[in-house]
Amino acid sequence: EDVLAWEREHGQVPRGSVVMFRTDWSLHWDDYAKYGLPLVYPGVMLDTLKILHLQRAILFHGHEPLDTDMTPSLEGEAWLMHNNFLQAEGVKNLHLVPEHGALVTIGFAKAQGGTGGLARFVAVCPPEWDGGATVWEQPGAPLPTQVAPLRRNAQGVLTPDPSATPTSYCSVEEEDGSTTVAAHPLGCPLPK
């Protein structure tokens, strides 16, 4: 019903779209860290998933909670996985993105044999959109620091390697030929 109501207002979801379900569930991550996850969270119904994936041919969908639905069998999640459809879970900051018309870029590692992985989604918003934030204003995920630099092992899996030399990011070659690392709180500064 929600998808059809949205389409009555905005037009049919275009083929190849990325559909993100905004519920504002992710606005409370600090509370969840302190008090635990809620027992009930918003979900995406199986019929909705079938309309979007089979009839609208979307590329994939995303949602803020950590699972697709609250059914006892996780029927939506099971249907997605058994039909090889991609989804994004734990998406946040959807309140900063327009309801439609943004271009979504995705940065993620190529995983082989896994059931999931971390990704960063960046919405490139239309020029008339006055909301949002830059990638400099939104810090990255709070991932654990590794004991040694990550390098690929013989199987191609990234693992800590105590013998590896740390990678020097944001290196700047000085006039005297020496190299320094540019300090910036959110990573490398943008080129001028």
Side-chain angles (χ1 to χ4, degrees):
E1 291 177 18
D2 290 338
V3 172
L4 299 178
W6 188 93
E7 287 184 332
R8 282 191 291 278
E9 185 176 340
H10 301 285
Q12 185 168 309
V13 174
R15 178 183 187 84
S17 290
V18 171
V19 175
M20 297 286 183
F21 287 92
R22 178 185 168 194
T23 59
D24 289 342
W25 190 85
S26 66
L27 296 178
H28 306 286
W29 276 115
D30 290 340
D31 292 338
Y32 306 146
K34 287 180 194 171
Y35 310 114
L37 293 173
L39 296 177
V40 177
Y41 54 84
V44 183
M45 296 176 61
L46 180 57
D47 288 343
T48 301
L49 294 170
K50 287 182 176 181
I51 289 171
L52 290 170
H53 287 281
L54 300 176
Q55 296 177 23
R56 302 300 185 264
I58 66 169
L59 182 61
F60 72 94
H61 89 277
H63 48 267
E64 295 173 90
L66 301 177
D67 270 316
T68 310
D69 60 78
M70 292 274 318
T71 60
S73 65
L74 294 175
E75 67 182 12
E77 184 135 346
W79 181 82
L80 288 165
M81 299 304 123
H82 288 274
N83 288 283
N84 297 315
F85 289 119
L86 181 66
Q87 68 172 338
E89 297 181 324
V91 177
K92 65 180 272 187
N93 293 327
L94 292 178
H95 64 288
L96 300 174
V97 180
E99 204 171 330
H100 62 88
L103 172 69
V104 177
T105 66
I106 309 164
F108 58 91
K110 182 179 178 184
Q112 181 177 359
T115 59
L118 300 173
R120 184 169 195 181
F121 299 89
V122 176
V124 180
C125 300
E128 64 274 7
W129 178 249
D130 61 357
T134 68
V135 292
W136 297 110
E137 295 167 326
Q138 292 298 319
L143 300 176
T145 302
Q146 300 296 325
V147 297
L150 297 177
R151 298 295 183 263
R152 294 199 183 278
N153 63 18
Q155 291 75 38
V157 177
L158 284 172
T159 58
D161 181 350
S163 67
T165 303
T167 303
S168 178
Y169 294 100
C170 306
S171 297
V172 177
E173 188 170 332
E174 303 293 341
E175 289 181 13
D176 65 0
S178 65
T179 302
T180 60
V181 176
H184 191 280
L186 296 175
C188 303
L190 292 172
K192 294 180 181 176

